[in-house]
Amino acid sequence: MADFAPIAGKPLALAEDLQLVLAPNPSPMTYLGTNTYILGRDTLAIIDPGPDNPDHLAALVAAIAGRPVSHILLTHSHLDHSPLAATLGDRLAAPTYAFGDSHAGRSAVMQQLAEEGLAGGGEGIDHAFSPDRILTDGEVLSGSWGDITALHTPGHIGNHLCFVWNDAIFTGDHVMGWASSLVSPPDGDLSDFMASCTKLQAHSARIYYPGHGAPVMQTVARLAWLIEHRKKREAQIIATLTENPATPTQITDAVYHDLAPELATAAERNVFAHLVDLYTRGIVSAAPQLATGATFALHGEGAITIPAARG
């Protein structure tokens, strides 16, 4: 949608019974800002209240215009999506729904890395987040706005959910049109991310409403691109390691070109996510142990078939 240009704080009608209110938090990681969605006409559901920002709170309250809110839904608990949930919920007497707190849904390998002291790369985890109600994968919520099905789609973070509504899916930060999703261990897991992409492919949707940026109209093509993008990055990493063992920093320098300084940390976290995935699949080794400062190497020559990098 080339004409997508919402103004922060001003409700934008996207479809019948669906409005977007853009939060005033643009950045290299959030693009124009966080998309908060308001579903319904008489009784409402809110998806991703956004950052703890008084102007955004005021804009949401104005857009809600005194109507009752039955559900506040969270795709995940990053600081640009979830902190306003508790304040808004208290103000509106509305319960918050999510897969769990910021540690929920972590894979075993990511839990181990966290226990060994690995922290995220500064992407902003809402450690205080705790929903009123826990949603399970496939659970259906019903209201005057229809039915919403929660899909557990870990990868960007372990507690990430997408929400199916009619012929649309609210994809949070898993699928966006303006950028690929950040996957930063120990909160993000690339193995889970790829599995969640496959899971979404099984759900036909006319349109995706992401956590940032314009609605995604070419849903099938965008999912295919995300999967192929990750496969290409994996091929680049493997090709780099065919030359010499290397650290995540060295690999990042080799595979990312003309990288803006403000994105360097995110790029290295994505590379490390790939390395963890390759490690768990037995394709690479890590010395002295699996960690961000480890030196990674391919297992013995001829142990794997190296995919050709394309594009």
Side-chain angles (χ1 to χ4, degrees):
M1 296 180 66
D3 58 347
F4 181 78
I7 298 171
K10 183 177 180 180
L12 175 66
L14 297 177
E16 186 176 358
D17 295 341
L18 176 62
Q19 289 183 309
L20 178 152
V21 180
L22 179 69
N25 61 331
S27 77
M29 298 302 296
T30 61
Y31 192 42
L32 302 176
T34 301
N35 294 336
T36 297
Y37 295 101
I38 300 176
L39 283 70
R41 186 174 305 172
D42 300 319
T43 300
L44 308 176
I46 310 296
I47 296 178
D48 284 350
D52 186 11
N53 179 288
D55 292 335
H56 190 50
L57 174 62
L60 289 178
V61 170
I64 290 166
R67 292 171 291 178
V69 174
S70 58
H71 298 71
I72 297 175
L73 308 177
L74 280 301
T75 61
H76 65 293
S77 56
H78 276 149
L79 289 173
D80 53 326
H81 287 260
S82 57
L84 198 59
T87 301
L88 188 66
D90 289 344
R91 182 157 183 169
L92 303 175
T96 56
Y97 293 74
F99 187 77
D101 66 16
S102 293
H103 294 163
R106 255 185 193 165
S107 64
V109 65
M110 295 305 163
Q111 183 61 36
Q112 179 181 341
L113 287 171
E115 290 172 355
E116 292 172 353
L118 179 65
E123 55 273 9
I125 304 297
D126 184 0
H127 294 289
F129 177 70
S130 180
D132 298 313
R133 311 280 177 84
I134 300 296
L135 290 172
T136 58
D137 183 38
E139 186 171 347
V140 178
L141 300 172
S142 299
S144 62
W145 24 262
D147 293 337
I148 292 174
T149 302
L151 299 179
H152 185 215
T153 50
H156 178 63
I157 186 173
N159 68 357
H160 196 284
L161 292 170
C162 291
F163 296 109
V164 181
W165 180 61
N166 300 329
D167 60 354
I169 301 179
F170 296 89
T171 53
D173 285 6
H174 192 86
V175 183
M176 300 176 287
W178 68 281
S180 59
S181 181
L182 171 67
V183 180
S184 178
D187 305 294
D189 184 310
L190 186 67
S191 302
D192 283 350
F193 180 85
M194 297 298 279
S196 293
C197 284
T198 300
K199 184 175 187 174
L200 283 176
Q201 286 182 314
H203 290 267
S204 177
R206 178 185 60 86
I207 190 169
Y208 290 157
Y209 293 114
H212 308 275
V216 177
M217 308 300 294
Q218 304 298 325
T219 58
V220 173
R222 187 58 182 172
L223 264 180
W225 181 90
L226 284 173
I227 293 169
E228 183 64 15
H229 173 71
R230 292 295 178 177
K231 290 180 177 178
K232 288 179 180 179
R233 187 68 72 205
E234 176 183 288
Q236 291 174 321
I237 292 169
I238 291 174
T240 299
L241 291 175
T242 61
E243 301 293 329
N244 289 294
T247 65
T249 299
Q250 292 168 331
I251 296 169
T252 302
D253 290 342
V255 302
Y256 282 88
H257 305 288
D258 301 321
L259 184 66
E262 63 269 20
L263 298 177
T265 297
E268 186 167 334
R269 301 303 291 196
N270 271 321
V271 165
F272 182 62
H274 275 280
L275 290 166
V276 174
D277 177 61
L278 290 168
Y279 178 89
T280 59
R281 290 157 55 195
I283 295 174
V284 304
S285 61
Q289 64 184 22
L290 183 62
T292 54
T295 297
F296 290 84
L298 292 177
H299 280 306
E301 184 176 352
I304 62 169
T305 299
I306 301 171
R310 291 174 289 167

